[in-house]
Amino acid sequence: MGVFEVPAPTAFRKPQDEWIGFAADKGFEGGFNGAVVLEDSLDYDEPEPLPFAARHWLGALLLEQARYAEAEQVYRDELDDRPNNGWSLFGLHEALTAQGRPDPEIEAAFETSWARSDTWIRGSRF
């Protein structure tokens, strides 16, 4: 089997209109929550099957809606799965700061994780 013949994970084989209907029925938040569930159901693989984490997008949406405590939990859950992830640490820092609880340890962990990056980060999603 060639590299381009590898079947997509079962979770991504749904017809396009089913995904569109799902996103329309649930709205963006429901779509991101669904993406988190699907991402969590994927088998471990290297490199990872997705070049982003669905929780980064969900957390960013919650931050934009001023739902800071929920965003905090989303980023903490992502850090449980991917420790020291700069995108998650940045989002967590933003959520905590918005709640008036900045955490110097989180800020330091972000600075360490992002020290060699050539990308200026302004949000928790790319």
Side-chain angles (χ1 to χ4, degrees):
M1 180 180 292
V3 68
F4 295 108
E5 299 170 327
V6 177
T10 306
F12 294 104
R13 290 191 213 143
K14 294 190 176 201
Q16 184 177 359
D17 16 356
E18 189 174 333
W19 284 110
I20 293 168
F22 176 78
D25 289 344
K26 301 291 186 177
F28 286 128
E29 183 181 348
F32 290 139
N33 280 317
V36 167
V37 170
L38 290 173
E39 184 179 11
D40 287 348
S41 72
L42 295 175
D43 292 331
Y44 176 82
D45 199 6
E46 284 288 336
E48 292 195 39
L50 299 174
F52 60 88
R55 282 188 181 89
H56 295 166
W57 289 81
L58 175 59
L61 175 68
L62 294 171
L63 284 175
E64 289 171 8
Q65 294 176 339
R67 295 165 59 188
Y68 306 122
E70 292 172 78
E72 175 188 352
Q73 188 57 54
V74 166
Y75 293 119
R76 288 191 186 279
D77 291 345
E78 181 62 19
L79 286 164
D80 286 344
D81 193 36
R82 293 175 184 89
N84 302 313
N85 179 280
W87 298 98
S88 300
L89 288 166
F90 184 87
L92 179 58
H93 170 71
E94 293 293 299
L96 291 171
T97 300
Q99 294 176 76
R101 301 184 298 128
D103 186 334
E105 288 181 23
I106 297 296
E107 190 170 345
F110 168 75
E111 294 296 333
T112 300
S113 74
W114 213 254
R116 294 182 179 207
S117 175
D118 62 354
T119 302
W120 184 261
I121 188 169
R122 293 180 296 186
S124 67
R125 65 182 182 273
F126 191 61

